[in-house]
């Protein structure tokens, strides 16, 4: 049997960084996906192939010693093999249309799709088990992850996420249109999260005040998302950008992109860790093309909408 699973990338609409410290975030799954196929093989190895390369690793290898780009997949396969006391190996193939290292959740979508695909080789997939396995896999390369990215990738739609709480779906019939602009500057999430930790240690009162303001903003944003009040959602996004600037995760390039897109959209902000990666802007559906036309002269940019489905699993023979 070949087991195939797909999972979407994500945008953080509100609350990145603050979410790591226990504040709520609003995260949306996007219509860009990773597709992973897996198959049992009759060797004692785990083979992994993606656009980043190919490898074959003995099952006895320690997870920590595996190259980072393959590590979460190896971890997932090894966990499932051990759980089911399977005597042979697994072959995993990854195809993705999510840009890598841009803050669009490529690695978490990979973890969710791989956890779903590999688990499905042995049993019916259970979404909460898949999600736990995916978050553990992501922690092999990013120990501080809040879990927000994997959660929205598994569930789809727009969710309110807070660590140690069950995620809440933000129910809306409406379609939201965003423009994503890639700064083409790779960022290192771990390094930026560590920098924010230092900011928090050095400025405890300012940080605590920012968390309170972010939480208030999120309350306002949730009701505006539910009533499809795009003006207010956009204003909240611009305000969130100011909070991120105060945390020190923006820079001149990101700010110039925000300013460029802000004037033709409802609002714009960094999405993800910052330092590089992408900017998102909320647009009107019929204005999207002209905005993209204008931006793409300078930057790689694309339209995204919210994926309502989340992870999906298929069996093929
Ligand atoms: O840039 P990304 O996609 O790795 O997003 C990081 C978001 C943070 O809030 C900074 C970290 C997290 O795990 O939520």
């Amino acid at each position: 049997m070949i087991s195939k699973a797909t999972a979407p990338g994500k945008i953080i609409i509100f609350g990145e960084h603050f979410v790591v410290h226990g504040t709520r975030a609003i995260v949306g799954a996007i219509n860009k996906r990773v597709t992973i196929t897996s198959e049992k093989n009759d060797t004692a190895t785990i083979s992994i192939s993606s656009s980043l390369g190919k490898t074959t690793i003995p099952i006895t290898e320690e997870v920590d010693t595996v190259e980072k780009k393959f590590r979460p997949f190896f971890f997932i396969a090894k966990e499932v093999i051990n759980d089911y006391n399977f005597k042979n190996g697994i072959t995993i193939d990854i195809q993705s249309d999510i840009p890598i290292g841009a803050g669009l959740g490529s690695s978490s979508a990979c973890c969710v799709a791989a956890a779903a695909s590999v688990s499905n080789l042995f049993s019916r997939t259970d979404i909460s088990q898949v999600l736990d396995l995916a978050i553990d896999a992501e922690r092999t390369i990013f120990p501080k992850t809040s879990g927000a990215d994997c959660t929205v990738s598994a569930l789809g739609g727009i969710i309110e996420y807070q660590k140690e709480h069950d995620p809440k779906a933000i129910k809306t019939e409406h379609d939201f249109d965003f423009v994503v602009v890639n700064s083409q500057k790779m960022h290192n999430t771990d390094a930026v999260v560590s920098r924010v930790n230092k900011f928090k240690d050095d400025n405890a009162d300012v940080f605590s005040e920012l968390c309170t303001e972010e939480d208030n903003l999120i309350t306002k944003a949730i009701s505006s998302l539910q009533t499809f009040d795009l003006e207010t959602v956009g204003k909240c996004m611009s305000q969130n950008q100011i909070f991120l600037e105060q945390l020190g995760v923006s820079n001149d390039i990101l700010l110039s992109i925000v300013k460029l897109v802000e004037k033709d959209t409802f609002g714009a902000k960094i999405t993800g860790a910052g330092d590089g990666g992408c900017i998102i802007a909320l647009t009107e559906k019929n204005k999207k093309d002209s905005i993209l036309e204008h931006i793409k002269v300078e930057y790689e940019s694309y339209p995204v909408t919210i994926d309502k489905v989340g992870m999906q699993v298929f069996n093929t023979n």
Side-chain angles (χ1 to χ4, degrees), residues 226-277:
Q226 282 164 334
T227 53
F228 203 54
D229 175 356
L230 298 181
E231 296 265 354
T232 306
V233 178
K235 281 194 187 122
C236 290
M237 287 170 64
S238 299
Q239 182 58 52
N240 197 155
Q241 169 63 21
I242 294 170
F243 294 155
L244 291 169
E245 281 160 27
Q246 287 168 350
L247 283 187
V249 302
S250 191
N251 58 33
D252 289 351
I253 303 176
L254 298 177
L255 206 54
S256 70
I257 300 174
V258 166
K259 294 291 163 222
L260 177 73
V261 288
E262 215 168 30
K263 51 184 192 304
D264 296 320
T265 60
F266 293 110
K269 64 181 274 293
I270 290 167
T271 186
D275 252 13

Coordinates of all heavy atoms in Angstrom, one line a residue, residues 226-277:
Q226 N -15.2 37.4 12.4 CA -16.5 36.8 12.3 C -17.6 37.6 11.6 O -18.4 37.1 11.0 CB -17.0 36.4 13.8 CG -16.2 35.2 14.3 CD -16.3 35.0 15.8 OE1 -16.5 36.0 16.5 NE2 -16.2 33.8 16.2
T227 N -17.4 39.0 11.7 CA -18.4 39.8 11.1 C -17.9 40.3 9.7 O -18.6 41.1 9.0 CB -18.7 41.1 11.9 OG1 -17.5 41.7 12.2 CG2 -19.4 40.7 13.2
F228 N -16.8 39.8 9.3 CA -16.2 40.1 8.0 C -16.0 41.6 7.8 O -16.2 42.2 6.8 CB -17.1 39.6 6.8 CG -16.3 39.4 5.6 CD1 -15.2 38.6 5.5 CD2 -16.8 39.9 4.4 CE1 -14.5 38.4 4.3 CE2 -16.1 39.7 3.2 CZ -14.9 39.0 3.1
D229 N -15.6 42.2 8.9 CA -15.3 43.7 8.9 C -13.8 43.8 8.5 O -12.9 43.9 9.4 CB -15.6 44.2 10.3 CG -15.2 45.7 10.5 OD1 -14.6 46.3 9.5 OD2 -15.5 46.2 11.6
L230 N -13.6 43.8 7.2 CA -12.2 43.8 6.7 C -11.4 45.0 7.1 O -10.2 45.0 7.4 CB -12.2 43.6 5.2 CG -12.8 42.3 4.7 CD1 -12.7 42.3 3.2 CD2 -12.2 41.1 5.3
E231 N -12.1 46.2 7.2 CA -11.4 47.4 7.6 C -10.8 47.3 9.0 O -9.6 47.6 9.2 CB -12.4 48.6 7.7 CG -13.1 49.0 6.4 CD -12.3 50.1 5.7 OE1 -11.4 50.6 6.3 OE2 -12.7 50.5 4.5
T232 N -11.6 46.7 9.9 CA -11.1 46.6 11.3 C -10.0 45.5 11.4 O -9.0 45.7 12.0 CB -12.2 46.3 12.2 OG1 -13.2 47.4 12.1 CG2 -11.8 46.3 13.7
V233 N -10.2 44.4 10.7 CA -9.2 43.3 10.7 C -7.9 43.9 10.2 O -6.8 43.7 10.8 CB -9.6 42.1 9.8 CG1 -8.4 41.1 9.8 CG2 -10.9 41.5 10.3
G234 N -7.9 44.7 9.1 CA -6.7 45.3 8.5 C -6.0 46.2 9.5 O -4.8 46.2 9.7
K235 N -6.9 47.1 10.2 CA -6.3 48.0 11.1 C -5.6 47.3 12.3 O -4.5 47.6 12.8 CB -7.4 48.9 11.7 CG -7.8 50.0 10.8 CD -8.6 51.1 11.5 CE -9.1 52.1 10.4 NZ -10.5 52.2 10.4
C236 N -6.2 46.2 12.7 CA -5.6 45.3 13.8 C -4.3 44.8 13.3 O -3.4 44.7 14.1 CB -6.6 44.2 14.2 SG -8.1 44.8 15.1
M237 N -4.3 44.4 12.0 CA -3.0 43.8 11.5 C -1.9 44.9 11.5 O -0.8 44.6 11.9 CB -3.2 43.3 10.1 CG -4.0 42.0 10.0 SD -4.4 41.5 8.3 CE -2.9 41.3 7.6
S238 N -2.2 46.1 11.1 CA -1.2 47.2 11.1 C -0.8 47.4 12.6 O 0.4 47.7 12.8 CB -1.8 48.4 10.5 OG -2.1 48.1 9.1
Q239 N -1.7 47.4 13.5 CA -1.3 47.6 14.9 C -0.4 46.5 15.4 O 0.5 46.7 16.1 CB -2.6 47.7 15.8 CG -2.4 47.9 17.2 CD -1.6 49.2 17.5 OE1 -2.0 50.3 17.0 NE2 -0.5 49.2 18.2
N240 N -0.8 45.2 15.0 CA 0.1 44.1 15.4 C 1.5 44.3 14.8 O 2.5 44.0 15.5 CB -0.5 42.8 14.9 CG 0.0 41.6 15.5 OD1 -0.6 40.5 15.6 ND2 1.2 41.7 16.1
Q241 N 1.6 44.8 13.6 CA 2.9 45.1 13.1 C 3.7 46.1 14.0 O 4.9 45.9 14.2 CB 2.8 45.7 11.6 CG 4.0 46.2 11.0 CD 5.1 45.2 10.8 OE1 4.9 44.0 10.7 NE2 6.4 45.6 10.7
I242 N 3.0 47.1 14.5 CA 3.7 48.0 15.4 C 4.3 47.3 16.6 O 5.4 47.5 17.1 CB 2.8 49.2 15.7 CG1 2.5 50.0 14.5 CG2 3.4 50.1 16.8 CD1 1.4 51.1 14.6
F243 N 3.4 46.4 17.2 CA 3.9 45.6 18.4 C 5.1 44.8 18.0 O 6.1 44.7 18.8 CB 2.8 44.7 18.9 CG 1.6 45.4 19.4 CD1 0.4 44.8 19.5 CD2 1.7 46.7 19.9 CE1 -0.8 45.4 20.0 CE2 0.6 47.4 20.5 CZ -0.7 46.7 20.5
L244 N 5.1 44.2 16.8 CA 6.3 43.4 16.4 C 7.5 44.2 16.2 O 8.6 43.8 16.5 CB 6.0 42.6 15.1 CG 4.9 41.5 15.3 CD1 4.4 41.0 13.9 CD2 5.4 40.4 16.1
E245 N 7.3 45.5 15.7 CA 8.5 46.4 15.6 C 9.0 46.7 17.0 O 10.2 46.8 17.2 CB 8.0 47.7 14.9 CG 7.9 47.5 13.4 CD 7.1 48.6 12.7 OE1 7.0 49.7 13.2 OE2 6.5 48.3 11.7
Q246 N 8.1 46.9 18.0 CA 8.6 47.2 19.3 C 9.3 46.0 19.9 O 10.2 46.2 20.7 CB 7.4 47.5 20.2 CG 6.9 49.0 19.8 CD 5.6 49.3 20.5 OE1 4.9 48.5 21.0 NE2 5.2 50.6 20.3
L247 N 9.0 44.8 19.5 CA 9.8 43.6 19.9 C 11.1 43.5 19.3 O 12.0 42.7 19.7 CB 9.0 42.3 19.6 CG 7.8 41.9 20.5 CD1 7.3 40.5 20.0 CD2 8.2 41.9 21.9
G248 N 11.3 44.2 18.2 CA 12.6 44.2 17.5 C 12.7 43.1 16.4 O 13.8 42.7 16.1
V249 N 11.6 42.6 15.9 CA 11.7 41.5 14.9 C 11.5 42.0 13.5 O 11.5 41.2 12.5 CB 10.8 40.3 15.2 CG1 11.1 39.8 16.6 CG2 9.3 40.7 15.1
S250 N 11.3 43.3 13.3 CA 11.2 43.9 12.0 C 12.5 44.5 11.6 O 13.5 44.5 12.3 CB 10.1 44.9 11.9 OG 9.8 45.3 10.6
N251 N 12.6 44.9 10.3 CA 13.8 45.6 9.9 C 13.5 46.5 8.7 O 12.3 46.6 8.3 CB 15.0 44.6 9.6 CG 14.5 43.6 8.5 OD1 13.7 43.9 7.6 ND2 15.0 42.4 8.6
D252 N 14.5 47.2 8.1 CA 14.2 48.1 7.1 C 13.5 47.5 5.9 O 12.6 48.1 5.3 CB 15.5 48.8 6.6 CG 16.0 49.8 7.7 OD1 15.2 50.0 8.7 OD2 17.1 50.3 7.6
I253 N 14.0 46.3 5.5 CA 13.4 45.7 4.2 C 11.9 45.4 4.5 O 11.0 45.7 3.7 CB 14.1 44.4 3.9 CG1 15.6 44.6 3.6 CG2 13.4 43.8 2.6 CD1 16.3 43.3 3.3
L254 N 11.6 44.7 5.7 CA 10.3 44.3 6.0 C 9.4 45.6 6.1 O 8.2 45.6 5.6 CB 10.2 43.5 7.3 CG 11.0 42.2 7.2 CD1 11.0 41.5 8.6 CD2 10.5 41.3 6.2
L255 N 9.9 46.6 6.8 CA 9.1 47.8 6.9 C 8.8 48.5 5.6 O 7.7 48.9 5.4 CB 9.9 48.8 7.8 CG 9.1 49.7 8.6 CD1 8.0 49.0 9.4 CD2 10.0 50.5 9.6
S256 N 9.8 48.4 4.7 CA 9.5 49.1 3.4 C 8.5 48.3 2.6 O 7.6 48.9 1.9 CB 10.8 49.3 2.6 OG 11.3 48.1 2.2
I257 N 8.4 46.9 2.8 CA 7.4 46.1 2.1 C 6.0 46.4 2.7 O 5.0 46.6 2.0 CB 7.7 44.6 2.1 CG1 9.1 44.3 1.5 CG2 6.6 43.8 1.5 CD1 9.5 42.9 1.6
V258 N 6.0 46.5 4.1 CA 4.7 46.8 4.7 C 4.2 48.1 4.2 O 3.0 48.2 3.9 CB 4.9 46.8 6.3 CG1 3.7 47.5 7.0 CG2 5.2 45.4 6.8
K259 N 5.1 49.1 4.1 CA 4.6 50.5 3.7 C 4.1 50.4 2.2 O 3.1 51.0 1.9 CB 5.7 51.5 3.8 CG 6.2 51.8 5.2 CD 5.1 52.5 6.0 CE 5.3 52.5 7.5 NZ 4.1 52.2 8.3
L260 N 4.9 49.6 1.4 CA 4.5 49.5 0.0 C 3.1 48.9 -0.2 O 2.3 49.4 -1.0 CB 5.5 48.6 -0.7 CG 5.3 48.3 -2.2 CD1 5.6 49.6 -3.0 CD2 6.3 47.2 -2.6
V261 N 2.8 47.9 0.6 CA 1.5 47.2 0.4 C 0.4 47.8 1.2 O -0.8 47.7 0.8 CB 1.6 45.6 0.6 CG1 2.3 44.9 -0.4 CG2 2.1 45.3 2.0
E262 N 0.7 48.4 2.3 CA -0.3 49.0 3.2 C -1.2 49.9 2.5 O -2.4 50.0 2.7 CB 0.4 49.6 4.4 CG -0.3 49.5 5.7 CD 0.6 49.9 6.8 OE1 1.4 50.8 6.7 OE2 0.4 49.3 7.9
K263 N -0.7 50.7 1.6 CA -1.5 51.8 1.0 C -2.6 51.3 0.1 O -3.6 52.0 -0.1 CB -0.7 52.9 0.4 CG 0.4 52.5 -0.6 CD 1.1 53.7 -1.1 CE 2.0 53.5 -2.3 NZ 3.0 52.4 -2.3
D264 N -2.5 50.1 -0.5 CA -3.5 49.6 -1.3 C -4.3 48.4 -0.7 O -5.1 47.8 -1.4 CB -2.8 49.0 -2.6 CG -2.2 50.1 -3.4 OD1 -2.7 51.2 -3.5 OD2 -1.1 49.8 -3.9
T265 N -4.1 48.2 0.6 CA -4.7 47.1 1.2 C -5.4 47.5 2.6 O -5.2 48.7 3.0 CB -3.7 45.9 1.5 OG1 -2.7 46.4 2.4 CG2 -3.1 45.4 0.2
F266 N -6.0 46.6 3.2 CA -6.7 46.9 4.5 C -5.6 47.1 5.6 O -5.8 47.8 6.6 CB -7.7 45.9 4.9 CG -8.9 45.9 4.0 CD1 -9.1 44.8 3.1 CD2 -9.8 46.9 4.0 CE1 -10.2 44.8 2.3 CE2 -10.9 47.0 3.1 CZ -11.1 45.9 2.3
G267 N -4.5 46.3 5.5 CA -3.5 46.4 6.5 C -2.5 45.3 6.2 O -2.7 44.3 5.5
A268 N -1.2 45.5 6.7 CA -0.2 44.5 6.4 C 0.7 44.3 7.6 O 0.8 45.2 8.5 CB 0.7 45.1 5.3
K269 N 1.4 43.2 7.7 CA 2.3 42.9 8.8 C 3.2 41.7 8.4 O 2.9 41.0 7.5 CB 1.5 42.5 10.1 CG 0.7 41.3 9.9 CD -0.1 40.9 11.2 CE 0.7 40.1 12.2 NZ 1.0 38.7 11.7
I270 N 4.2 41.6 9.2 CA 5.1 40.4 9.2 C 4.2 39.2 9.5 O 3.3 39.3 10.2 CB 6.2 40.5 10.3 CG1 7.2 41.6 10.0 CG2 6.8 39.1 10.5 CD1 8.0 41.9 11.2
T271 N 4.5 38.0 8.9 CA 3.9 36.8 9.3 C 5.0 35.8 9.7 O 5.9 35.6 8.9 CB 2.9 36.2 8.3 OG1 2.3 35.1 8.8 CG2 3.6 35.8 7.0
G272 N 4.9 35.3 10.9 CA 6.0 34.4 11.3 C 7.0 35.1 12.2 O 6.8 36.2 12.7
A273 N 8.2 34.5 12.2 CA 9.2 35.0 13.2 C 9.8 36.4 12.9 O 10.2 37.1 13.8 CB 10.4 34.0 13.2
G274 N 9.8 36.8 11.6 CA 10.3 38.2 11.3 C 11.8 38.0 11.0 O 12.3 36.9 10.7
D275 N 12.5 39.2 10.9 CA 13.9 39.2 10.5 C 14.0 39.1 9.0 O 15.0 39.5 8.4 CB 14.7 38.2 11.2 CG 15.7 38.7 12.2 OD1 15.5 39.9 12.6 OD2 16.6 38.0 12.7
G276 N 13.1 38.4 8.4 CA 13.1 38.1 6.9 C 11.7 37.4 6.7 O 10.8 37.7 7.4
G277 N 11.7 36.5 5.8 CA 10.4 35.8 5.5 C 9.4 36.7 4.8 O 9.8 37.5 4.0

